[in-house]
Amino acid sequence: MSKQKNMVLLLLATASTIAVSRSAVAEVSSDQAARDSMAIEDIVVTATRRAANLQDVPVAITALSASDLEASGIDTAFNLTMATPGLVFGRSTLSLQPTLRGVGTTSGGPGNESPIAVYIDGVYQPDLAGNQLDLLKVDRVEVLRGPQGTLFGRNATGGLINIITPDPTFDPQAELRLRYGRFNERSVRVYGSTGISDTAAIDFAGLYSADDGYVRNLLTGGMDGDRRSFAGRSKLLLKPSDTFELRLSVNAYDIRDDSLAVGQPLNGNTNTRASNPNILLPTKPNQTSVDFISLAESEGYGANLELAFDLGGYRLETTSSFGRHKSLLIRDSDSSPAPLTTSTGRQRTETATQEIRLLSNTGDTIEWIAGVYGFYSKGTYRPLQFGATSLDPTLHTKSIAAFTDITWKVTSNFNLVGGARYTYEKRDFVQFVNGNQIFPKQKKSFDNLSPKILAQYFFSDDASVYASYSSAFKSGVFNSQATSPLAVNPEINNAFEAGVKADPLPWLRTNFAAFLYKYDDLQIGIRPPGNINTILMNAGKATMKGVEAEVTAIPVSGLQLRGAVSLLDAKYDELPNIVVQVPTTVGGVPVGGNSGLLFDASDTRMLRAPAYTISLGADYTHEFSAGAITFSANAYHSAKVRYTYDGRITQPAYWLVGGQISYELPSESVRFSIWGENLTNEHVLDTVSSTGQGDIVAYNRPRRFGVAVDFKF
């Protein structure tokens, strides 16, 4: 760990040295262009369903432009952790599981959506297993921290991630990126855009990426966990008049990532050892000894249509979407060479949404938004099979919501905001076990009113303070991975937040937030003895409180420094009689596998909620007659992360360090890069599954490095 800390300190020292030496020159320069180049660019966000300056929006937001993503080395949603305070990503095989400020989920399955909602171009992506990790051509990413129960609403009890893609341009342009790296990683990214008439433009973004895997198989001597991904998106923009716009987007993806299915017993803890103590098992991270073909595949397609009408004093917007997804997961449940239990999951989901919003004109004393939102989904397993047991569930969800948000500009520097969202949701559920329906179709409805109150005061044009109370709920759900006919209740987050946003100098941006959450009826997942799948239940209460800070500075022309820190105290207030897994022993000696025991987790730290995280970044660009060279470095540090309620399995504190050196030709049409990720080769837990069969884990990707070349036409 000392070596990693020394590397980060060296990074900061280097950046500071550059800043000091360059500032000495800047002090004697009065060139206005140089001063302008030091100003931090304004970022336009849509966190309030309107386009607004990031610094004017009274919400804790991490907004990353395309250039920010490039400088931070973020090309997947999973890597957003590197730049977002309080954000922790985990996975349960195919399911993407973000946790923000301690709010998250450790379970998946049809209908069981994440409390950290994911949106693409404002369209809700409900399927945890269908969310793509690769970022295609992106204009910006907005991570909204805190409940967004009013304007976005659906299951955004902890926040949301909104990925915004660019609109097509009428002027022709094209981009191509080729990348190669360790583990035979290769990828091709393409983007093209052009006008097809005076009022219409179209674009296309495509991706192919693959590698040969990074998990060493001790039986074969080869590498397992290879990955291959195809993804494409196209958007059509129509502007036939000044009062009407149409955007039609279509997308498709086909991903195979077998690293999500290849696990290993943590510390050799698998029940295979009970019958064969000398069986070959991994002794180091990123190893496996399975002789079973593990698969993790996901594919899907979708479309969304956005219409906007300027009605003079109002603006009418509609968004319609449809999507289908299917996935296949086959894995060795005990992750050993023994021919024991395997599990297979074939999940299918289809969704449709419709939203209509009416907005008042900006600039009025009172600005408002009102709308309605409809949601439909059907989720199935065909089948979910472990051993001799086969589950064939079907879950339908129908939901409708009405919402409003009103801003009253009391004075030129004081705003009051109020809003509410009412949601009614109906679910039905049927379960088959080995082909037999085990109970009549179950139906359950839920409703909720989520309010918001906020006050914002502007000290100046570049500084404001805000305070808010808001509430949000995650709907109740049936557990498709179990045989219970009962649904869990909704979980409710009552949140208080205060923050300061200020640009005290043109080259300095500082944002601070403090929050307190009171969480009721947590939906948590447990693994009872004899069941390798997650059982949902409602726990008691939890409290999350913390502070966050983000700072961006351009102390001299060409140098940008970034820093973010999150301090979090997240505890279960009431969580008695939770089932935890403990190693099975004979005579005090572990023999393999686990036994379920009841544990009182009250007043313990929440899962995937580290006490602190730190993000650091520095970019320096030097322009000269032969082009421009850019040095980028990023570091992320997390405190210890708990993965089990009793704290038996944890991820120790760690640093992730990455960077890039690039050279761009004077024409700006070609750029060459050398890149590296996880340069300290940290072994970070990615997936943890603790069941009666053992502690099965998978790790994040080890040290990677390579080269890339970008072309612009």
Side-chain angles (χ1 to χ4, degrees), residues 166-177:
D167 281 341
T169 59
F170 286 86
D171 296 327
Q173 62 172 280
E175 299 176 9
L176 170 66
R177 185 174 206 199

Side-chain angles (χ1 to χ4, degrees), residues 106 218 222-223 251 361 442 500 674:
T106 58
L218 302 179
M223 305 299 286
N251 67 86
N361 271 343
Q442 300 296 301
V500 177
I674 301 173

Side-chain angles (χ1 to χ4, degrees), residues 353-684:
T353 69
Q354 177 64 60
E355 185 171 45
I356 301 173
R357 300 182 298 274
L358 186 64
L359 298 80
S360 68
N361 271 343
T362 59
D364 295 338
T365 302
I366 295 181
E367 294 179 354
W368 53 265
I369 299 175
V372 293
Y373 177 82
F375 174 85
Y376 166 82
S377 76
K378 175 184 177 181
T380 65
Y381 278 116
R382 290 295 184 266
L384 175 63
Q385 185 163 353
F386 44 95
T389 303
S390 175
L391 303 182
D392 292 86
T394 298
L395 178 71
H396 289 93
T397 303
K398 297 177 181 179
S399 178
I400 189 167
F403 60 91
T404 186
D405 189 87
I406 303 171
T407 299
W408 176 24
K409 300 179 180 179
V410 182
T411 68
S412 60
N413 57 359
F414 180 61
N415 297 335
L416 290 176
V417 180
R421 187 184 191 99
Y422 175 77
T423 302
Y424 175 80
E425 185 157 308
K426 184 177 181 181
R427 295 186 186 253
D428 64 65
F429 173 57
V430 63
Q431 181 67 281
F432 289 80
V433 178
N434 294 335
N436 300 310
Q437 184 172 341
I438 59 173
F439 48 71
K441 179 183 289 188
Q442 300 296 301
K443 298 181 180 181
K444 190 70 180 286
S445 60
F446 310 92
D447 67 325
N448 173 265
L449 179 65
S450 295
K452 180 181 75 173
I453 302 173
L454 183 146
Q456 182 182 26
Y457 179 76
F458 285 87
F459 294 104
S460 67
D461 292 340
D462 300 313
S464 68
V465 60
Y466 66 90
S468 69
Y469 162 76
S470 61
S471 177
F473 97 118
K474 178 187 177 186
S475 173
V477 64
F478 293 98
N479 184 10
S480 59
Q481 298 180 354
T483 56
S484 171
L486 303 178
V488 295
N489 295 323
E491 50 181 44
I492 307 292
N493 185 10
N494 291 293
F496 303 86
E497 182 170 316
V500 177
K501 292 190 169 187
D503 292 356
L505 297 168
W507 54 269
L508 180 63
R509 175 164 295 164
T510 59
N511 292 332
F512 304 92
F515 60 90
L516 170 65
Y517 293 172
K518 289 294 184 178
Y519 224 93
D520 293 328
D521 279 334
L522 283 165
Q523 298 172 8
I524 64 172
I526 61 173
R527 299 279 174 79
N531 194 326
I532 64 170
N533 286 304
T534 300
I535 302 299
L536 287 178
M537 62 174 286
N538 284 111
K541 302 176 183 296
T543 298
M544 301 85 147
K545 54 188 176 182
V547 294
E548 298 162 345
E550 293 181 285
V551 177
T552 302
I554 305 179
V556 295
S557 179
L559 174 65
Q560 183 179 88
L561 303 176
R562 303 177 303 277
V565 63
S566 167
L567 303 178
L568 175 65
D569 181 11
K571 291 184 177 180
Y572 299 107
D573 297 327
E574 299 175 9
L575 190 56
N577 299 324
I578 192 74
V579 176
V580 297
Q581 304 291 335
V582 297
T584 303
T585 61
V586 175
V589 178
V591 296
N594 293 314
S595 300
L597 293 178
L598 291 179
F599 178 76
D600 185 357
S602 302
D603 201 35
T604 63
R605 177 167 290 277
M606 299 181 69
L607 304 187
R608 293 178 180 168
Y612 62 88
T613 63
I614 302 171
S615 300
L616 302 170
D619 314 314
Y620 175 66
T621 298
H622 176 65
E623 298 182 359
F624 53 102
S625 60
I629 187 168
T630 299
F631 301 89
S632 300
N634 303 280
Y636 170 80
H637 178 63
S638 172
K640 180 175 67 174
V641 181
R642 292 168 62 101
Y643 278 95
T644 57
Y645 295 104
D646 58 354
R648 184 174 64 85
I649 301 178
T650 63
Q651 166 64 51
Y654 64 93
W655 282 95
L656 292 177
V657 178
Q660 180 173 280
I661 301 174
S662 62
Y663 164 68
E664 188 173 59
L665 296 180
S667 62
E668 299 183 354
S669 60
V670 182
R671 182 178 59 188
F672 303 94
S673 303
I674 301 173
W675 57 270
E677 296 181 10
N678 192 9
L679 294 177
T680 55
N681 203 34
E682 288 275 15
H683 301 301
V684 181

